[in-house]
Amino acid sequence: RWIYPVAAAFTSAVYFAGKLLLSRQAALAPLQFLNQLVLFALLFLLFRLFCGLDGKLERMPGGLRKIICLISGMTLEIYVVQYVIIDVVRAFALFFPLNWVVLTASILLAAWVLHKLCGLLYRGADRMLAQVRQKGEKI
């Protein structure tokens, strides 16, 4: 349905505008809970939007589908590296939204490197296991 993408885009704009306004106006600090309500609405709308896009993922162009599948396949690595990267980027004291862009790019890059390293380790372990099985040894 067309309402979910439009509402999600509008709610995203409201969320980011609220983040900017609340981070720059100390007098508005008591109203920060409003941004959490907007974020909840945004997440709900994104959930509904992406539930409807599931079937369309198969019909997407190959490059875009590969990027989406790569990011979804790196969720564990993203979770593992995010806390370390957040502390590193925080030291640079960048302002929103630049800090968000740098943080997101850094997390994705670090998660990708970890994902590739894990893939090498898995393949190496699989080769060793195949050699052991080929020799007929018990594990």
Side-chain angles (χ1 to χ4, degrees):
R1 295 176 47 178
W2 65 270
I3 190 73
Y4 293 119
V6 171
F10 175 75
T11 309
S12 295
V14 170
Y15 174 73
F16 283 111
K19 277 297 262 190
L20 281 172
L21 186 63
L22 291 170
S23 68
R24 298 204 174 141
Q25 298 293 325
L28 298 176
L31 300 176
Q32 288 186 9
F33 74 94
L34 293 175
N35 224 27
Q36 299 305 312
L37 296 174
V38 172
L39 180 60
F40 177 75
L42 174 60
L43 291 175
F44 172 77
L45 291 167
L46 288 174
F47 176 75
R48 291 295 307 231
L49 174 65
F50 291 135
C51 282
L53 294 178
D54 187 40
K56 295 180 183 178
L57 180 62
E58 299 302 322
R59 295 187 305 268
M60 284 186 168
L64 184 60
R65 187 174 57 237
K66 283 182 182 180
I67 291 169
I68 291 170
C69 290
L70 175 66
I71 292 172
S72 68
M74 293 189 321
T75 53
L76 177 61
E77 290 87 350
I78 291 170
Y79 178 76
V80 168
V81 302
Q82 71 177 336
Y83 294 110
V84 175
I85 302 296
I86 287 170
D87 289 337
V88 170
V89 172
R90 185 178 291 140
F92 291 105
L94 302 170
F95 292 101
F96 184 82
L98 180 61
N99 62 347
W100 183 83
V101 171
V102 170
L103 180 65
T104 302
S106 300
I107 288 172
L108 290 174
L109 178 63
W112 179 79
V113 169
L114 182 60
H115 185 73
K116 291 300 180 184
L117 288 172
C118 288
L120 289 172
L121 289 172
Y122 294 151
R123 283 190 293 280
D126 286 343
R127 279 191 218 119
M128 288 180 5
L129 186 59
Q131 288 174 355
V132 167
R133 285 184 179 153
Q134 191 176 30
K135 292 180 181 177
E137 298 174 13
K138 292 196 177 194
I139 299 174

